[in-house]
Amino acid sequence: MPPTGTKRPYSGSGSGHRSGPRPPPQGSQSQTQQPAPTGPFIPMFTEFRNELDEHHDRRERIIKASRDVTAASKKIIFTLQRLRPTTLPLNEPLPYHITNEISQYESKIQTLLASILPDLQDLNGSRYQRQISPGLQEYIEAVGFRHYLLKGTAIEWEEAAWYTSGLNADEILGKKSGEEEKKEGGTEVDVEMVDAQRALSGEGPAAQEGSDGNEKKEEKTSLQGIKLSREDYVLALFDMTGEMMRFAITSIATTPLSELIPTPISEGAGEGAKNPGRSTPRALLQDLRELRLAFEGLGLGRSPFGKDAEKKLEVMQQSVQKVEYAFYGIAVRGSERPDGWIAEVDVGGGTAE
């Protein structure tokens, strides 16, 4: 027998009709526009609304730029990881193809930093520090890793702040063109002396571009550079130890056994980074130990920086242990392998004996 009765409507009422007045049809003349609210406080709250909209738009721009800077900085690190030096520091310019690839990413980073300079002026620099912090840390990690490979020392805070200010793009990218001129002929000192003499005498491209350069400098001086906090600098150095660990593991796997075992690991400890003859694995292990000793002596405290640094300190200690265990494995089992043995590294990243 089919059910009888009235179907319950969607509105929930017992009858089949909608309860309450029906809404007027769209487009009818009964719909009238409500007048704009008026009152003595309306202009004030309208201004508050505009300020909040500007704040959210500014915050989104900074976050997006920080993410793009992080992505480009990671590509710089991946490019540097392809190097296979036998000794550290390099004490010579990077290969041309590496420099050319890095310059493309660094040019993008400097463009992104310059684009958010107006958003980080005065108090906004501190207000949005948490939003721009990840990008700055990753960029300093990339620049610091390159600085370490070239000079064997940690990058200083003043130099790191110069890179992240967003005001020195021409100088940062111009240095690479000077290195290319040095490869074509003459020394770096000669190139700088010739350019200086041309600028003083009013000849050459430096003098011709003087007026344009002055106008650009006036525009830049009206803006304050992006401030790099010392906390972000220290956290970036923490992260750099992870890249040093990866570089060391790869160097251990690709270095002949005869260059790892005979010479003691502690050789050259007194000379430090000034010793140009240190093999890459031993140099990395020694410098990682020195960084671990320095970081463990920091008074982190209970501030937000202390919480972040405490987590990174634990990761850094694990990175140093991985390099030490790799060396211990080579030293203990070295007698079982023939002279000249090198690990075969496959495409997947594993090793096969």
Side-chain angles (χ1 to χ4, degrees):
M1 181 176 179
T4 60
T6 305
K7 183 178 179 182
R8 185 179 181 89
Y10 177 76
S11 60
S13 59
S15 62
H17 302 284
R18 296 178 58 91
S19 60
R22 293 186 178 182
Q26 296 182 357
S28 63
Q29 297 180 356
S30 60
Q31 287 183 340
T32 58
Q33 295 182 355
Q34 296 181 356
T38 58
F41 300 105
I42 296 302
M44 181 178 62
F45 282 96
T46 302
E47 185 179 355
F48 292 161
R49 181 191 63 189
N50 296 335
E51 291 180 359
L52 287 175
D53 291 341
E54 293 177 0
H55 160 68
H56 291 301
D57 293 341
R58 189 184 304 113
R59 184 174 179 273
E60 291 299 325
R61 286 195 299 268
I62 295 174
I63 291 176
K64 184 179 183 303
S66 178
R67 290 174 179 174
D68 294 341
V69 169
T70 300
S73 301
K74 288 183 180 296
K75 293 179 181 179
I76 293 178
I77 295 174
F78 297 155
T79 304
L80 293 172
Q81 289 286 357
R82 298 204 301 264
L83 293 171
R84 294 293 178 265
T86 57
T87 59
L88 284 180
L90 296 177
N91 291 325
E92 60 182 5
L94 296 174
Y96 177 76
H97 68 283
I98 297 292
T99 304
N100 187 30
E101 188 173 350
I102 290 178
S103 63
Q104 298 177 7
Y105 301 134
E106 198 158 16
S107 176
K108 180 179 179 181
I109 292 173
Q110 292 298 325
T111 302
L112 291 169
L113 294 178
S115 66
I116 59 176
L117 271 178
D119 297 329
L120 294 172
Q121 297 300 304
D122 301 329
L123 294 179
N124 287 337
S126 301
R127 184 181 186 183
Y128 302 105
Q129 194 269 338
R130 296 292 294 180
Q131 282 72 38
I132 192 61
S133 177
L136 296 182
Q137 291 183 25
E138 196 70 28
Y139 184 37
I140 293 305
E141 179 183 354
V143 173
F145 186 48
R146 179 180 61 185
H147 183 277
Y148 171 76
L149 294 178
L150 291 174
K151 300 182 180 180
T153 58
I155 188 172
E156 297 182 355
W157 176 79
E158 291 79 5
E159 184 176 356
W162 183 77
Y163 274 98
T164 59
S165 65
L167 300 174
N168 305 311
D170 296 337
E171 292 81 357
I172 293 173
L173 302 176
K175 288 181 178 180
K176 297 174 177 56
S177 62
E179 293 176 0
E180 295 174 4
E181 292 180 3
K182 182 182 70 173
K183 290 182 179 180
E184 294 178 358
T187 60
E188 184 176 359
V189 178
D190 295 336
V191 173
E192 294 178 354
M193 292 179 62
V194 170
D195 292 340
Q197 292 175 358
R198 288 180 179 179
L200 293 174
S201 62
E203 300 177 356
Q208 296 176 0
E209 298 177 359
S211 59
D212 297 338
N214 293 332
E215 294 178 358
K216 293 181 180 179
K217 288 181 180 180
E218 291 178 358
E219 295 177 359
K220 288 184 177 181
T221 53
S222 62
L223 295 176
Q224 299 177 358
I226 299 175
K227 299 178 181 179
L228 176 67
S229 64
R230 298 185 183 272
E231 290 80 4
D232 288 340
Y233 166 74
V234 174
L235 294 176
L237 293 184
F238 271 112
D239 294 334
M240 190 186 69
T241 57
E243 303 303 328
M244 294 173 63
M245 178 271 295
R246 296 182 183 90
F247 204 82
I249 295 298
T250 306
S251 300
I252 292 174
T254 57
T255 300
L257 186 64
S258 58
E259 298 182 11
L260 292 175
I261 300 302
T263 305
I265 297 176
S266 59
E267 182 182 355
E271 299 178 2
K274 296 182 180 179
N275 183 7
R278 296 189 303 168
S279 67
T280 299
R282 295 200 308 272
L284 287 164
L285 176 60
Q286 178 182 341
D287 295 336
L288 281 172
R289 284 175 165 174
E290 292 179 359
L291 285 174
R292 179 179 61 182
L293 181 63
F295 285 140
E296 289 177 347
L298 292 176
L300 301 180
R302 297 183 179 181
S303 61
F305 163 73
K307 295 180 180 178
D308 295 338
E310 186 176 359
K311 296 178 182 178
K312 292 181 180 292
L313 177 62
E314 182 179 357
V315 176
M316 185 269 299
Q317 292 172 339
Q318 295 175 358
S319 299
V320 181
Q321 289 178 358
K322 289 179 182 179
V323 180
E324 290 177 339
Y325 290 160
F327 260 97
Y328 296 155
I330 294 292
V332 171
R333 296 182 296 175
S335 59
E336 303 175 2
R337 298 168 179 169
D339 295 336
W341 176 88
I342 300 179
E344 297 179 359
V345 181
D346 58 7
V347 180
T351 58
E353 298 183 4

